[in-house]
Amino acid sequence: MRKKSIIINERSHKELKKLAQEHQRNIGKFTEEMILYFQKTGTDPRAINGKNASEMIKVIDRRIVSFFKTQESEILYPIQQQLLKNGQRTEFLFNKLIAELNKIFERIKSRG
């Protein structure tokens, strides 16, 4: 494998070295893993703007919860109410049908 060098400022090099040590890797391996992470997640490091990943996850989580609550109130509750009404109407009609059938059967019995 051919190795390449990159030029970064001294402050960034110190931070990279510190991060690599915290994650128990050498700078090269850590840099390769960072590249792979950004490729796989599609994350743009500039989009973070000082927020750590857990803060970003909390923001996304709140958005998802808000989305589901909206769907629940605008779609699921109305569907539930309609199903309940339909079930009550079906039960009413079913009972009415049974009563009518019982009347018919009584008439047949009384004739025969």
Side-chain angles (χ1 to χ4, degrees):
M1 168 173 46
R2 228 174 114 186
K3 295 187 178 194
K4 295 282 186 171
S5 297
I6 58 171
I7 298 172
I8 58 175
N9 65 43
E10 192 173 332
R11 181 180 158 271
S12 294
H13 185 269
K14 284 181 183 178
E15 290 297 320
L16 179 60
K17 189 174 181 179
K18 181 179 163 186
L19 283 169
Q21 287 173 347
E22 287 174 7
H23 291 88
Q24 298 157 357
R25 292 168 183 78
N26 64 42
I27 292 175
K29 182 69 175 166
F30 189 70
T31 304
E32 290 170 0
E33 289 173 354
M34 285 191 313
I35 292 167
L36 185 61
Y37 172 81
F38 289 123
Q39 284 176 333
K40 285 190 175 192
T41 63
T43 304
D44 181 355
R46 294 173 296 179
I48 294 173
N49 292 332
K51 295 180 182 176
N52 66 32
S54 62
E55 289 173 353
M56 292 174 64
I57 290 170
K58 287 177 186 176
V59 169
I60 292 169
D61 185 53
R62 283 193 292 271
R63 288 181 186 167
I64 292 170
V65 168
S66 175
F67 171 79
F68 281 126
K69 284 184 178 181
T70 301
Q71 297 301 304
E72 184 179 60
S73 65
E74 293 180 2
I75 296 172
L76 295 178
Y77 284 147
I79 289 172
Q80 180 188 25
Q81 291 301 315
Q82 191 60 49
L83 286 172
L84 182 62
K85 285 180 187 176
N86 289 348
Q88 291 169 339
R89 178 79 176 144
T90 302
E91 184 178 6
F92 170 77
L93 291 173
F94 186 69
N95 288 334
K96 191 173 177 181
L97 176 64
I98 290 172
E100 291 298 319
L101 287 172
N102 284 336
K103 286 180 189 176
I104 292 169
F105 292 142
E106 286 299 320
R107 280 191 224 143
I108 292 172
K109 278 184 187 178
S110 65
R111 289 184 191 167

